[in-house]
Structures are given as C-alpha cells and as structure tokens.
Amino acid sequence: MKLKLSIIALIITLTSSAFAQFFMANAAVTVLPGRVSVEVFNPYYEPIICNGQVFGQTITGPVFTAFFAEQLMPAGSYRYAVVSTNAFNRFVGGWADIHCRFIR
C-alpha cells in the first residue's frame, strides 16, 4: 500500500512540476490600421523560450494570425511578431497569447 501511494505521489509531483514551468508572458500589443505588432521582453536574469500567437481582427470580420515557436530569448532581450493587412481592410482589434518557460 505504501509503495502504491509513493508511486502515485511521485507521478503527481513529476507531472505537475512540468506544467509549473510555463507562464504567461507580459506582451505589449500595438494595433495600427495596417498592422498589429506584439513585443515580448525577458526581464529575468536567465534565458527563456517562448511560444505564441498574434491575432488581428479586421473591420470586415476575419481574424488574421501569426505564430512563433520555440523562440530563445536571452536575458534582457526582446522579440517581435507582426500581422499585416492592406489599407482597405484595416484592423480594429488585436491580441496575443504567449507562453514562456525557463531553460532549466
């Protein structure tokens, strides 16, 4: 019985600690008529890896998206992502969903 409880506790600990490394990045989103740009900054003293998507909704309704995966960000660095459109179908809103993790 103690062995089963120990194995279950070990599995729960290992699986939960893997998810605890991911965190939401604080992204600065700028919406212009022809472009949605996102800026991510690494304020930590160690490198991180980020994954994310940038979304921009146009005045006619469609949502354009761009993504980046496994971007290495050294300490104090920035990363940018951009979604563009033409002058006749301007953006009215934009947002980003960016998750980062430490390299450990």
Side-chain angles (χ1 to χ4, degrees):
M1 186 66 174
K2 286 185 180 183
L3 180 62
K4 288 181 182 178
L5 288 175
S6 298
I7 291 172
I8 290 172
L10 180 65
I11 290 172
I12 290 173
T13 303
L14 291 176
T15 57
S16 65
S17 65
F19 292 112
Q21 292 180 0
F22 286 93
F23 57 91
M24 294 290 291
N26 188 8
V29 179
T30 304
V31 180
L32 299 173
R35 179 185 319 164
V36 175
S37 62
V38 175
E39 176 184 77
V40 180
F41 175 66
N42 180 7
Y44 303 105
Y45 292 108
E46 59 185 295
I48 59 176
I49 293 179
C50 293
N51 301 310
Q53 281 188 295
V54 181
F55 302 94
Q57 184 169 14
T58 62
I59 196 165
T60 58
V63 176
F64 295 136
T65 183
F67 72 93
F68 57 93
E70 298 297 313
Q71 290 292 313
L72 176 66
M73 295 181 60
S77 66
Y78 289 89
R79 288 291 182 265
Y80 302 94
V82 178
V83 177
S84 299
T85 187
N86 58 27
F88 303 108
N89 194 14
R90 62 189 166 108
F91 286 116
V92 293
W95 64 96
D97 181 25
I98 300 173
H99 302 277
C100 298
R101 64 181 166 89
F102 290 105
I103 302 175
R104 292 183 182 165

